[in-house]
């Protein structure tokens, strides 16, 4: 027993030593990677000050800057200075752009940093060269998600429609390598002519994979671009991917029209429609307050699916439920509908109390009626006997 304990203690000590050593090595590597070059920082600040006075950098500084920026830590020092002094960016852009070929041959780690730095630059007035943009496009071949993401951020900032369309093709080919949210947020922020860009996306839409179609429908919905015709075409096409169809339905939840109203009503009337279709249909009809819509949604108050009945109750609540109407729902004596009402009014103490008391009262009446019926049956049996 003693030997087992000693071995256990030895293993624990060994693991502790290993953890400490690992952390020390990791810390040392981080310090090496991130240690600020203070002498270069002072040189930059002095040259910027002199440039403001004299109109140019010193010849020695200008000649040596290319070599110094080939080191990642110096590039990051320059990035920090530009962040604090945005006006100085225009003096260093060319020097940073000239490093693209150098960093294209470096490790994924350094490529990611370079792509991050250039993604933060202002491209509103000065557009980079074709050589630069093609080199950025080549970074999309990287297996590193960080390099890929920062290269995409650079392309969003540049805002060239053709480059972005090529980047989307590359992203589509990677099939989910680049996360949907990153793509959608990036497209929303892209500094491009949105009308031209969006119309081109619609033209190419049917050639994309379901993954990319789903991403683009989210982008169109959030950007407010009118694709109602495309979405209805997708919903009417039986070969459309399921998730893409759901995204098209979500589009109409935000931008309803007559065609979508008709489509959603048919979904509610279809007994074979799956729960998510009925839930999205209810959401898509949320802006309508007419008898036909209310009648179809009211039928789903007792749906066994939680999402469907909660959305049905929410719709009824939004269109205005009186206590009498709530009583009519409770009178259905459906536990699903009762639970959904309680969930809808969970923050309203008065209504919660009313619902609970009404349910209890209806249950008591049911029990009383049952007892009465049983008694009458016993009396009738005794009389016959």
């Amino acid at each position: 027993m003693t030997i087992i304990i000693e071995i256990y203690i030895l293993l624990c000590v060994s693991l502790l030593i290993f953890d400490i050593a690992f952390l020390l090595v990791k810390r040392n590597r981080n310090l090496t990677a991130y240690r600020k070059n203070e002498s270069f920082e002072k040189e930059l600040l002095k040259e910027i000050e002199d440039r403001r006075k004299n109109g140019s950098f010193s010849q020695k500084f200008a000649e040596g800057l290319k070599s110094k920026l080939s080191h990642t830590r110096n590039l990051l020092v320059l990035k920090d200075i530009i962040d604090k002094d945005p006006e100085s960016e225009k003096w260093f852009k060319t020097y940073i752009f000239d490093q693209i070929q150098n960093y294209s041959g470096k490790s994924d780690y350094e490529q990611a940093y370079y792509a991050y730095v250039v993604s933060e630059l202002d491209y509103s007035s000065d557009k980079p060269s074709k050589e630069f943009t093609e080199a950025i496009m080549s970074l999309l071949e990287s297996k590193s998600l960080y390099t890929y993401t920062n290269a995409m951020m650079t392309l969003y900032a540049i805002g060239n429609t053709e480059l972005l369309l090529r980047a989307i093709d590359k992203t589509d080919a990677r099939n989910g390598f680049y996360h949907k949210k990153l793509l959608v947020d990036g497209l929303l922020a892209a500094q491009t002519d949105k009308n031209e860009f969006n119309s081109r996306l619609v033209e190419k839409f049917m050639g994309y994979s379901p993954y990319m179609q789903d991403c683009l429908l989210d982008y169109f919905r959030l950007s407010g671009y009118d694709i109602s015709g495309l979405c209805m075409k997708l919903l009417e096409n039986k070969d459309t991917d399921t998730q893409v169809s759901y995204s098209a339905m979500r589009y109409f939840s935000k931008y309803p029209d007559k065609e979508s109203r008709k489509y959603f009503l048919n979904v509610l009337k279809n007994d074979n429609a799956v729960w998510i279709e009925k839930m999205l249909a209810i959401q898509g009809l949320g802006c309508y307050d007419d008898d036909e819509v209310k009648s179809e949604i009211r039928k789903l108050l007792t749906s066994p699916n939680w999402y469907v009945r909660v959305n049905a109750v929410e719709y009824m609540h939004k269109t205005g439920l009186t206590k009498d109407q709530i009583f009519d729902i409770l009178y259905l004596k459906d536990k699903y509908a009762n639970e959904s009402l309680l969930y809808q009014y969970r923050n309203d103490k008065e209504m919660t109390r009313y619902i609970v008391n009404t349910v209890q009262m209806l249950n008591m009446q049911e029990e009383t009626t049952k007892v009465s019926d049983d008694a009458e049956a016993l009396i009738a049996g005794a009389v016959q006997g």
Side-chain angles (χ1 to χ4, degrees):
M1 186 66 180
T2 304
I3 295 175
I4 294 175
I5 293 174
E6 289 176 350
I7 293 174
Y8 176 75
I9 293 173
L10 180 62
L11 286 173
C12 289
V13 171
S14 299
L15 287 172
L16 180 61
I17 293 173
F18 173 80
D19 288 340
I20 293 172
F22 176 78
L23 290 172
L24 287 174
V25 171
K26 185 177 179 181
R27 177 178 178 273
N28 184 59
R29 289 185 64 183
N30 286 341
L31 288 174
T32 301
Y34 294 102
R35 186 184 293 124
K36 180 181 288 188
N37 188 338
E38 294 182 357
S39 62
F40 182 57
E41 182 181 38
K42 290 178 181 178
E43 184 182 13
L44 281 171
L45 292 172
K46 181 180 181 303
E47 287 291 336
I48 289 172
E49 184 179 356
D50 290 345
R51 170 133 193 172
R52 284 197 168 99
K53 293 179 182 178
N54 306 322
S56 63
F57 293 132
S58 67
Q59 184 177 352
K60 181 181 178 181
F61 173 78
E63 291 175 351
L65 190 55
K66 180 177 180 179
S67 174
K68 290 179 178 178
L69 290 181
S70 66
H71 300 287
T72 305
R73 69 173 186 153
N74 291 339
L75 184 67
L76 294 177
V77 168
L78 177 57
K79 171 69 171 61
D80 287 340
I81 288 176
I82 291 175
D83 287 343
K84 297 172 184 175
D85 183 6
E87 185 185 9
S88 67
E89 178 185 311
K90 59 187 177 184
W91 301 326
F92 294 104
K93 266 186 181 178
T94 302
Y95 294 101
I96 296 174
F97 289 159
D98 288 345
Q99 291 293 325
I100 181 64
Q101 294 302 333
N102 171 45
Y103 279 90
S104 292
K106 289 180 177 285
S107 66
D108 288 336
Y109 174 80
E110 292 175 291
Q111 287 179 4
Y113 268 120
Y114 179 79
Y116 164 69
V117 171
V118 295
S119 73
E120 294 283 296
L121 298 178
D122 179 14
Y123 296 92
S124 58
S125 55
D126 301 322
K127 297 299 181 182
S129 66
K130 183 177 180 180
E131 179 186 22
F132 175 83
T133 56
E134 288 302 318
I136 290 294
M137 288 295 299
S138 70
L139 293 182
L140 296 182
E141 304 299 329
S142 174
K143 294 180 180 179
S144 166
L145 180 59
Y146 296 108
T147 301
Y148 196 96
T149 299
N150 291 337
M152 288 294 290
M153 293 299 291
T154 304
L155 294 171
Y156 299 140
I158 294 172
N160 180 283
T161 294
E162 295 303 324
L163 289 175
L164 283 174
L165 290 172
R166 286 172 56 195
I168 287 174
D169 289 340
K170 286 182 176 291
T171 301
D172 195 22
R174 301 295 286 265
N175 194 26
F177 173 75
Y178 186 53
H179 194 275
K180 175 182 178 179
K181 189 176 188 309
L182 292 174
L183 177 61
V184 174
D185 288 349
L187 292 178
L188 289 170
Q191 301 300 304
T192 187
D193 182 336
K194 289 298 174 63
N195 286 328
E196 177 193 11
F197 179 59
N198 291 345
S199 63
R200 293 290 301 280
L201 286 177
V202 172
E203 288 174 9
K204 292 167 60 70
F205 187 88
M206 300 308 292
Y208 291 128
S209 69
Y211 156 75
M212 184 55 67
Q213 289 180 344
D214 187 36
C215 292
L216 293 179
L217 288 179
D218 277 3
Y219 161 67
F220 288 134
R221 186 181 77 250
L222 293 171
S223 66
Y225 190 68
D226 184 3
I227 54 163
S228 54
L230 172 63
C231 285
M232 189 52 62
K233 179 181 176 182
L234 291 170
L235 291 174
E236 292 173 346
N237 185 351
K238 295 181 180 179
D239 294 329
T240 300
D241 178 81
T242 302
Q243 292 301 321
V244 175
S245 294
Y246 295 160
S247 290
M249 293 178 77
R250 290 188 185 95
Y251 175 86
F252 285 121
S253 294
K254 190 170 184 180
Y255 307 104
D257 61 15
K258 291 181 179 179
E259 290 298 314
S260 66
R261 180 183 182 279
K262 180 180 177 181
Y263 178 85
F264 287 142
L265 279 171
N266 287 335
V267 170
L268 296 186
K269 295 174 183 178
N270 182 5
D271 293 335
N272 294 322
V274 298
W275 70 266
I276 192 170
E277 292 175 331
K278 293 202 172 187
M279 180 192 75
L280 291 172
I282 294 170
Q283 293 174 356
L285 294 168
C287 65
Y288 298 101
D289 185 9
D290 58 79
D291 292 341
E292 184 179 14
V293 172
K294 280 185 177 181
S295 174
E296 292 302 325
I297 293 180
R298 192 177 190 281
K299 295 174 184 176
L300 297 174
L301 291 172
T302 58
S303 169
N305 183 275
W306 187 86
Y307 294 99
V308 173
R309 65 177 182 271
V310 164
N311 276 272
V313 169
E314 183 178 350
Y315 167 84
M316 299 298 291
H317 172 67
K318 186 173 67 174
T319 54
L321 274 176
T322 64
K323 276 192 175 182
D324 288 342
Q325 290 172 325
I326 291 174
F327 180 84
D328 290 340
I329 296 173
L330 295 174
Y331 194 73
L332 296 172
K333 298 176 183 177
D334 185 277
K335 66 175 183 178
Y336 297 130
N338 295 348
E339 289 173 359
S340 298
L341 279 172
L342 283 170
Y343 180 80
Q344 179 64 50
Y345 289 98
R346 62 193 180 279
N347 296 321
D348 187 330
K349 290 183 179 180
E350 182 182 347
M351 287 304 301
T352 298
R353 190 179 299 111
Y354 171 76
I355 294 169
V356 171
N357 291 341
T358 303
V359 169
Q360 290 176 345
M361 180 193 70
L362 291 172
N363 287 339
M364 288 175 62
Q365 286 181 351
E366 185 175 6
E367 288 298 323
T368 301
T369 302
K370 183 179 178 182
V371 170
S372 177
D373 290 343
D374 290 343
E376 289 181 6
L378 286 171
I379 294 170
V383 170
Q384 290 176 0

